[in-house]
Amino acid sequence: MKNLGSDSIPGEVIAYFEELRVKLAFRMSLMFLCIFSILSYTRYFESMESFSMMAVATIISACCLLIMKSNDRNYLLVFYIYSICGYIIVAFSLMVYHSRIHLVDVLWLMTVVFLAFFTLGRRLGYILLFLSIMVIGLFIFLHLDHQIRILKALTIYQKISLLIELIAAFSLNFYLFYLFLELNSYSEKKLLESYDQVKEQNTRILLQNEEKTTLVREIHHRVKNNLQIVVSLLRMQSQEVDNPEFRILFQESINRIMAMSLIHQRLYQNDNLSQIRIGDYLDELIREIMNLSITEQTVDYEIKTEVGKIGLKTLIPVGLLINELVANSLKHAFEDVTDARIQIEIQREEDNYLRITYSDNGVWKQQIGNSSFGLVLIDTLIEQLEGTKDVCMQGCGTTYTMVILNLEEKDILA
């Protein structure tokens, strides 16, 4: 019941705990005042030792009752007084007063420990438990034999007084146990209510997630359709162009748009709306490029990848990169090659980087200048992916080695 934070516990629960602690402090003070007043009267005729203990307990109970009747109702102060002062009184009685029976003192120590655990927290409860065990052990080893030797038979008056004290101690411990059961029952009730609320919230979240999934899927579908419209317009426009070089430029632009359109098409058809298997995507992309290519030569290709799925943020630039490289190979490399072949390999590097190796076995018929739009686009895309490239052109082929950053994994780590 201690340290209830308003940030994590509903106000209704906090109010319930506050009311329970106020109720406990007030009822304990009233009960103690009545019990110890009666015991003070009965012990007055027994011995001054017993009377002094009960009188001090009566005064403490009266002070605590006044605190609870005040406007502040500082129940924590009341619990601290009962726990600490109660332990001191009982421990003093065990170690100093040897002429009285200490049968009930163990019950009072139990009450002190239970009260501290229940109202002030585990730390103070454990401390008082340790101190109680220690004082009981000292009493048994140091004073129990002496007390047994000096004790006398009890009068009927003393037996009644002892019975009253035993009933009081048992009643208080039972009341604390009852409050614990009541608190446990209330907690179970709130737990069930919270479970129902969470279940209802999860159902609502699932419905919202389905709606958002449908919406995102529809967005990808519309983006793909819009890109297809752009492609159709470019094709219609290219048919009105007589210059073959201009038609090639139109086709290159169409290929670039198709590379992006294919991503949205796969996302629309995929269960995962944020990632695509890069191997499958590149396979379909290269087949589309070759189908749209003006060359009639058969080109074999192979894709090897250690990477499974890649997110949209990285996949679009990678798709455009591969589109440019494949288009350049088909356009410049395979005119005099009988067994044309393209190979793409994707490997994982450290720090969320990917190594993409693109190679063909063609003999390039001309050297592309640095001002070529395709090469400028390749450099721009690599820079966007915070990567580097290395080009090796030999008589039997060209190899591009690119090290790029997987932007999605970078964002996750960030």
Side-chain angles (χ1 to χ4, degrees):
M1 295 176 61
K2 188 173 173 60
N3 297 331
L4 298 172
S6 58
D7 294 337
S8 58
I9 300 178
E12 179 187 356
V13 178
I14 295 177
Y16 174 81
F17 286 152
E18 292 288 312
E19 180 183 356
L20 192 64
R21 289 189 286 190
V22 170
K23 185 190 302 183
L24 175 61
F26 178 78
R27 291 180 178 178
M28 281 185 59
S29 300
L30 186 61
M31 185 187 303
F32 281 156
L33 181 60
C34 296
I35 291 171
F36 292 130
S37 297
I38 296 173
L39 291 176
S40 296
Y41 175 77
T42 58
R43 296 295 171 84
Y44 178 78
F45 301 100
E46 179 182 339
S47 67
M48 289 304 298
E49 294 178 351
S50 299
F51 171 74
S52 62
M53 284 182 51
M54 296 304 167
V56 171
T58 303
I59 294 172
I60 292 175
S61 301
C63 293
C64 290
L65 185 60
L66 290 176
I67 293 174
M68 293 308 301
K69 294 289 287 184
S70 66
N71 293 329
D72 293 337
R73 296 198 300 179
N74 193 343
Y75 54 83
L76 287 178
L77 176 61
V78 171
F79 291 142
Y80 274 112
I81 291 174
Y82 281 139
S83 298
I84 297 175
C85 294
Y87 172 78
I88 293 174
I89 292 173
V90 177
F92 182 81
S93 172
L94 281 171
M95 303 307 295
V96 176
Y97 296 154
H98 304 307
S99 59
R100 61 184 300 271
I101 296 178
H102 295 290
L103 178 63
V104 191
D105 291 340
V106 176
L107 286 177
W108 288 127
L109 287 177
M110 288 176 56
T111 303
V112 167
V113 173
F114 288 159
L115 183 64
F117 264 107
F118 193 64
T119 59
L120 300 175
R122 295 182 179 181
R123 181 177 300 178
L124 183 60
Y126 282 127
I127 292 174
L128 290 179
L129 176 62
F130 172 76
L131 293 176
S132 298
I133 294 174
M134 185 176 66
V135 75
I136 292 173
L138 290 175
F139 170 76
I140 291 174
F141 284 102
L142 298 179
H143 305 296
L144 183 60
D145 293 340
H146 174 70
Q147 186 186 35
I148 292 174
R149 288 195 299 268
I150 65 174
L151 284 178
K152 299 178 182 178
L154 296 178
T155 63
I156 186 66
Y157 194 76
Q158 291 174 325
K159 290 179 181 179
I160 293 174
S161 177
L162 181 60
L163 179 61
I164 293 173
E165 189 175 359
L166 277 170
I167 292 173
F170 270 115
S171 299
L172 185 57
N173 279 281
F174 175 80
Y175 181 63
L176 289 174
F177 183 70
Y178 166 77
L179 287 182
F180 174 78
L181 292 179
E182 184 178 347
L183 177 61
N184 186 63
S185 176
Y186 179 82
S187 301
E188 289 181 356
K189 176 184 174 183
K190 288 298 175 184
L191 183 61
L192 291 175
E193 291 178 0
S194 300
Y195 173 76
D196 292 337
Q197 292 175 359
V198 170
K199 186 177 180 180
E200 180 182 353
Q201 186 177 7
N202 286 340
T203 303
R204 188 164 57 250
I205 290 174
L206 287 175
L207 291 176
Q208 293 175 350
N209 184 57
E210 290 179 2
E211 293 174 357
K212 291 179 180 178
T213 300
T214 303
L215 178 61
V216 173
R217 199 183 299 278
E218 181 64 23
I219 289 173
H220 284 301
H221 183 57
R222 294 194 178 191
V223 170
K224 188 265 294 183
N225 288 343
N226 291 336
L227 291 174
Q228 291 289 347
I229 292 174
V230 174
V231 168
S232 299
L233 292 174
L234 288 174
R235 284 176 177 166
M236 292 172 60
Q237 190 70 35
S238 66
Q239 292 176 1
E240 299 179 3
V241 177
D242 296 329
N243 192 324
E245 293 184 1
F246 288 167
R247 286 192 175 186
I248 292 175
L249 293 177
F250 269 103
Q251 188 59 53
E252 289 176 352
S253 298
I254 289 173
N255 288 348
R256 294 179 185 118
I257 297 173
M258 288 295 296
M260 293 184 288
S261 174
L262 184 59
I263 292 175
H264 291 283
Q265 178 180 336
R266 281 197 159 269
L267 286 173
Y268 168 73
Q269 297 172 345
N270 198 9
D271 293 334
N272 190 333
L273 297 177
S274 61
Q275 292 184 324
I276 295 176
R277 298 192 69 85
I278 187 170
D280 297 340
Y281 165 71
L282 292 181
D283 179 73
E284 187 172 354
L285 175 63
I286 294 174
R287 281 192 283 107
E288 287 287 337
I289 295 172
M290 290 182 178
N291 289 336
L292 296 172
S293 175
I294 59 176
T295 180
E296 297 180 357
Q297 186 177 12
T298 302
V299 179
D300 295 327
Y301 65 92
E302 182 182 11
I303 301 172
K304 297 180 180 179
T305 177
E306 297 177 355
V307 182
K309 295 182 178 180
I310 291 184
L312 193 64
K313 196 172 182 180
T314 304
L315 190 60
I316 288 180
V318 168
L320 291 173
L321 272 174
I322 299 301
N323 174 75
E324 293 300 322
L325 293 171
V326 173
N328 284 341
S329 296
L330 295 176
K331 184 178 178 181
H332 300 288
F334 297 133
E335 184 174 336
D336 300 323
V337 178
T338 57
D339 57 340
R341 194 169 60 253
I342 293 174
Q343 183 171 352
I344 301 173
E345 187 173 356
I346 304 176
Q347 299 171 309
R348 289 190 181 274
E349 296 283 308
E350 295 180 354
D351 299 327
N352 304 314
Y353 277 87
L354 304 175
R355 178 182 295 273
I356 301 177
T357 304
Y358 175 90
S359 61
D360 63 48
N361 65 337
V363 179
W364 287 55
K365 62 183 180 182
Q366 63 181 22
Q367 180 71 29
I368 301 178
N370 293 330
S371 61
S372 169
F373 177 76
L375 292 181
V376 173
L377 180 58
I378 289 174
D379 291 337
T380 302
L381 293 170
I382 291 175
E383 182 179 352
Q384 177 184 337
L385 294 169
E386 303 179 24
T388 60
K389 75 168 183 177
D390 180 66
V391 183
C392 178
M393 301 186 67
Q394 299 175 347
C396 59
T398 302
T399 300
Y400 277 79
T401 303
M402 297 161 287
V403 179
I404 61 172
L405 180 63
N406 190 344
L407 298 177
E408 275 78 14
E409 292 190 8
K410 176 188 175 183
D411 292 342
I412 290 174
L413 291 177

